[in-house]
Amino acid sequence: MSNDPALSPQAELSLPPRFRFPGMGRTFGIIALFALISLSLHGAEISFSSFREGIPYMKEVLFEMLPPDLSRISNIGALLLDTLYMAIAGTCIGVLFALPLAVLAARTTSPHTALYAISRASVSLARTVPDLVWALFFVVTVGIGSFAGVLTIAIDTLGFCGRFFAESIEEIDHSPEEALETLGAGRCAILATYIFPTCTPSFINTVLFSLEKAVRSSVVLGLVGAGGIGVELKVAMDTLQYGQASTIILCIFVVVLVVEQMSTRARTALLTTS
Amino acid sequence: MNAPSSTTIRTPPPLIFSEVRKSYGETEILKGVTLTLNRGERTALLGSNGSGKSTLLRLIPRITAPTGGEIHVLGKELQHLSRKELKLLRAHIGFVFQKHLLVPRLSALTNTVHGALGRTSFGRAWFHSLAPQPIREEALACLEKVGLANHALKQTRHLSGGQSQRVAIARALMQRPELIIADEPVASLDPESGENVMRLLGELSQTDNLSLLFSTHHLEHALNYADRIVGLSSGRIIFDKRSDQTSLEELRSFYE
Ligand SMILES: Nc1ncnc2c1ncn2[C@@H]1O[C@H](COP(=O)(O)OP(=O)(O)O)[C@@H](O)[C@H]1O
Ligand SMILES: [Mg+2]
C-alpha cells in the first residue's frame, strides 16, 4: 500500500491508530444500551425450565391440530369473507379521509401552521396507538361486531396513509406550482392538476401496502370482539378444538398470501401503465 | 370567454415600469428600472448572469412584489389589485419559464387546457376529459400551432425538452394572452431545438400581434426574433435600441 503513487509521503507518517476513544457521550450510550438489554432479559421472566416443560404440550397441541378439522369449513369461509369485507371497507374509508388530511399535514401544502400541527398530531395518534387498542375502544363505544373492526381499520389506514401520503406530497418538485399559479390556478386547482396526479404512483403503492396490512390485522381483531374470523379462532382454542383452530389458521394463511400476491400484481400492473 | 380584446378602442401599452426597485435583504437588484413596451412589439432583454433579468420578469405577473416604483400591466397598476383582479390579470399574461414546468404525468392536451384555468369556473380546465368541448378544441388548436397536435395524448414526461417547451408555449397561447413573458426559454435546450422554439415564439407573437418580452443570452436570437433590444446592467436599463439599428458587435461590447 505504501507504494501507491497517489499517496503523498506524509500519509505514511501519520498512520491512524487502530482504536480511538469514542468520546464520553458515545461511551455512556454504549454502556446504557448494554444495561438496557440485560435489564430486559432479566425483567421479561425468561425461563428455560418453563420452556422445557412446555415442549411436550406444544407437541401435543400440534399433533391435535393434525389433521385439520374440515367439518365447519363453509362457516369459516363465510367468516373469512366477512373479514375481507371488513378490511376492504375500512381501508376505503381510511384512504378517503387520509387524502385531505395528508394535504393539511404536508408542510408544502398546508394552509396554516396550526392546521399543519393539528393534522400531524392526529395522524401520529392514529398510527402510533396499536390497532388492538383502537379495537377495544370501538368495541366499547359502538358495540361488538364488524363495524368496530371497520372503524379500527379505517383509523389504522388513516394513520398509515396519512403519513406516507403527506411525505410523498412533500417530496415532489414544487416548482410547477408556481407556473400554475401564474396561470391563475387556485389552491384546489393546483391540488387536482398537479399534486395529486404527480403523487398518484406513490399513493397507489401506499394504498396497496395499507390494504395488505389491513387484511393481516383484520384477522386478529375478532380476538377482542371487533368482528371477523378472529373470534372463531379464539373460541376454537379456548374449547380445545385444535383441529378447527388449525383449519382457521391455514385458511387465514392462504387468504393473506393470496391478497399479498394480488396486491403485488396490481402494483406492477398499475405502476407500469400509469 | 369573450372574444379577444381586439374590440377595445384605445389600448394602453402592455407594460410600463417606472423607477422599479427590487431588493433582496440588503442587496438592491433593480435600482430604478424604467421601461415601456409597445403593443405588438417583440422585445429581447439582455444582461449577464445575476443581473436581475428573472427578477424583473417575475415582477410582471407579481410572482414577487417590487420594493419601489410602479408597474402597469395591460393598463392596470399591480399594487392596487385585489387577489381576484390579480388572478384575472395573470390569466392574460403568458409566462414561459426556463424549465417548462409542465405537469409531467398529464397529457400534452391537458397541460395545454391548463392555460384556461384563469378564465374558467371551478374544475372546468383541470383535465381535458372534463373540459367543455370548445376548450378542448381550442387547446388542440394551440397544440397544432406549436406542431404537437399528434402528441396530444402523450404524457409530457415522455416528451423531449424542446417538445416540452413547445407545450409550455401552447399553454401560454391557450391563455389568449396579450403579453407573453419568456425567461430564457431556450437556455436548457440544445441549439437546434432552441432555435426552433425561439422561431416559434417570435413568429407566433407576430402573427397573433402579441407583445413579447423575452430574456436571453443568445445575441443572435435577440437580433433575429426581437424588434427591440434592451440591456439590463447594474440594476438599470442601460441599452435600448431597435434590433435593425444595432449589430452583433455592439451587443457583444455591451457584455464587456
Ligand atoms: N429569492 C431570492 N432571494 C434572494 N436573492 C435572490 C432571489 N432571487 C434572486 N436573487 C438574487 O438576485 C440576483 C439576480 O438574480 P436573477 O434575477 O435570477 O438574475 P438573472 O436572471 O439575470 O441571471 C442574483 O444575485 C440572485 O442571487
Ligand atoms: Mg434568470
Side-chain angles (χ1 to χ4, degrees):
Chain A
M1 260 238 301
S2 55
N3 300 341
D4 191 341
L7 279 177
S8 60
Q10 290 100 314
E12 284 177 274
L13 298 176
S14 60
L15 191 65
R18 290 176 194 276
F19 302 106
R20 268 193 310 168
F21 181 64
M24 281 308 282
R26 248 185 237 184
T27 314
F28 184 76
I30 291 169
I31 292 171
L33 183 67
F34 276 103
L36 182 68
I37 291 172
S38 49
L39 211 64
S40 307
L41 289 174
H42 184 71
E45 297 179 21
I46 290 174
S47 151
F48 289 104
S49 58
S50 303
F51 189 75
R52 203 177 322 112
E53 284 159 24
I55 287 176
Y57 296 103
M58 290 183 199
K59 267 192 203 153
E60 197 176 316
V61 170
L62 281 178
F63 277 122
E64 281 188 40
M65 281 187 164
L66 298 170
D69 175 0
L70 297 179
S71 61
R72 299 187 60 228
I73 187 78
S74 63
N75 204 342
I76 291 170
L79 266 170
L80 260 174
L81 205 60
D82 281 351
T83 313
L84 212 56
Y85 290 157
M86 201 166 87
I88 293 171
T91 306
C92 288
I93 296 171
V95 167
L96 223 59
F97 283 92
L99 279 174
L101 193 62
V103 172
L104 301 180
R107 223 179 324 101
T108 45
T109 50
S110 195
H112 195 272
T113 44
L115 221 51
Y116 165 75
I118 293 170
S119 15
R120 269 273 138 140
S122 14
V123 169
S124 298
L125 185 75
R127 194 184 67 249
T128 49
V129 175
D131 50 358
L132 279 180
V133 177
W134 283 117
L136 282 171
F137 173 74
F138 285 121
V139 165
V140 170
T141 49
V142 305
I144 286 181
S146 294
F147 186 51
V150 170
L151 288 178
T152 302
I153 289 171
I155 290 284
D156 227 28
T157 304
L158 185 74
F160 185 80
C161 289
R163 177 192 169 173
F164 288 106
F165 285 178
E167 271 179 15
S168 71
I169 290 176
E170 283 176 356
E171 272 165 18
I172 58 172
D173 171 20
H174 286 269
S175 42
E177 286 170 34
E178 193 172 277
L180 289 167
E181 227 169 278
T182 56
L183 291 170
R187 244 186 234 288
C188 289
I190 288 176
L191 281 176
T193 59
Y194 180 64
I195 308 276
F196 287 153
T198 308
C199 291
T200 300
S202 108
F203 281 4
I204 289 175
N205 209 9
T206 304
V207 168
L208 288 172
F209 271 122
S210 182
L211 181 68
E212 293 173 30
K213 197 162 112 56
V215 170
R216 280 193 301 268
S217 97
S218 67
V219 298
V220 293
L221 293 183
L223 296 180
V224 296
I229 191 81
V231 66
E232 198 75 356
L233 181 60
K234 183 168 159 55
V235 169
M237 290 294 251
D238 286 352
T239 57
L240 310 181
Q241 291 176 315
Y242 296 123
Q244 276 185 19
S246 65
T247 311
I248 295 170
I249 292 170
L250 282 175
C251 287
I252 288 173
F253 173 71
V254 169
V255 166
V256 172
L257 212 63
V258 167
V259 167
E260 284 184 354
Q261 283 298 314
M262 285 184 358
S263 162
T264 306
R265 289 209 179 165
R267 186 171 289 121
T268 40
L270 287 171
L271 295 190
T272 46
T273 56
S274 74
Chain B
M1 283 194 234
N2 298 318
S5 61
S6 54
T7 48
T8 325
I9 301 159
R10 217 174 55 84
T11 44
L15 182 71
I16 306 171
F17 272 56
S18 11
E19 281 301 309
V20 172
R21 297 168 174 276
K22 174 72 187 176
S23 318
Y24 286 113
E26 292 288 283
T27 39
E28 191 164 49
I29 309 294
L30 302 180
K31 300 174 180 165
V33 171
T34 299
L35 175 68
T36 301
L37 288 200
N38 301 313
R39 178 157 293 272
E41 197 172 61
R42 303 168 303 169
T43 307
L45 174 65
L46 300 182
S48 47
N49 278 327
S51 61
K53 299 183 299 299
S54 301
T55 304
L56 188 153
L57 297 179
R58 290 155 65 87
L59 293 172
I60 298 166
R62 212 174 175 80
I63 299 173
T64 51
T67 32
E70 284 196 352
I71 303 174
H72 288 78
V73 180
L74 306 176
K76 305 244 167 55
E77 214 290 296
L78 289 187
Q79 198 184 339
H80 303 300
L81 295 183
S82 68
R83 265 184 83 91
K84 202 163 176 190
E85 290 169 316
L86 182 62
K87 186 180 156 174
L88 223 64
L89 180 69
R90 280 177 169 177
H92 289 288
I93 311 169
F95 206 111
V96 178
F97 297 84
Q98 177 176 342
K99 291 198 298 171
H100 53 76
L101 302 185
L102 301 171
V103 182
R105 288 190 169 269
L106 295 179
S107 63
L109 188 58
T110 289
N111 271 286
T112 308
V113 163
H114 287 170
L117 275 169
R119 65 179 142 95
T120 47
S121 50
F122 192 83
R124 307 200 95 197
W126 287 2
F127 306 102
H128 85 83
S129 37
L130 303 180
Q133 195 63 8
I135 297 236
R136 303 181 72 226
E137 280 165 7
E138 191 179 340
L140 189 67
C142 290
L143 276 180
E144 177 77 61
K145 281 186 191 167
V146 300
L148 286 173
N150 51 340
H151 290 302
L153 290 182
K154 216 169 188 177
Q155 287 189 5
T156 53
R157 67 196 164 113
H158 297 310
L159 297 177
S160 71
Q163 289 172 325
S164 297
Q165 199 58 293
R166 276 147 67 194
V167 175
I169 291 171
R171 179 170 73 174
L173 291 176
M174 186 68 190
Q175 293 177 259
R176 301 175 182 162
E178 295 171 47
L179 171 64
I180 292 189
I181 312 292
D183 189 4
E184 296 190 38
V186 303
S188 47
L189 303 181
D190 63 76
E192 200 188 328
S193 340
E195 196 67 37
N196 288 336
V197 165
M198 214 43 247
R199 186 182 315 121
L200 190 69
L201 258 180
E203 287 176 1
L204 283 174
S205 51
Q206 217 164 26
T207 51
D208 293 3
N209 199 32
L210 306 173
S211 317
L212 171 68
L213 175 61
F214 66 97
S215 66
T216 186
H217 284 304
H218 291 258
L219 304 180
E220 292 87 352
H221 287 172
L223 284 170
N224 294 341
Y225 303 114
D227 308 307
R228 175 184 177 192
I229 301 175
V230 297
L232 183 66
S233 178
S234 322
R236 288 194 179 81
I237 300 290
I238 58 149
F239 182 94
D240 188 350
K241 275 197 174 170
R242 313 235 13 116
S243 55
D244 49 19
Q245 282 163 11
T246 183
S247 62
L248 208 52
E249 287 68 40
E250 191 179 9
L251 293 180
R252 279 218 184 92
S253 68
F254 164 71
Y255 271 93
E256 276 139 26

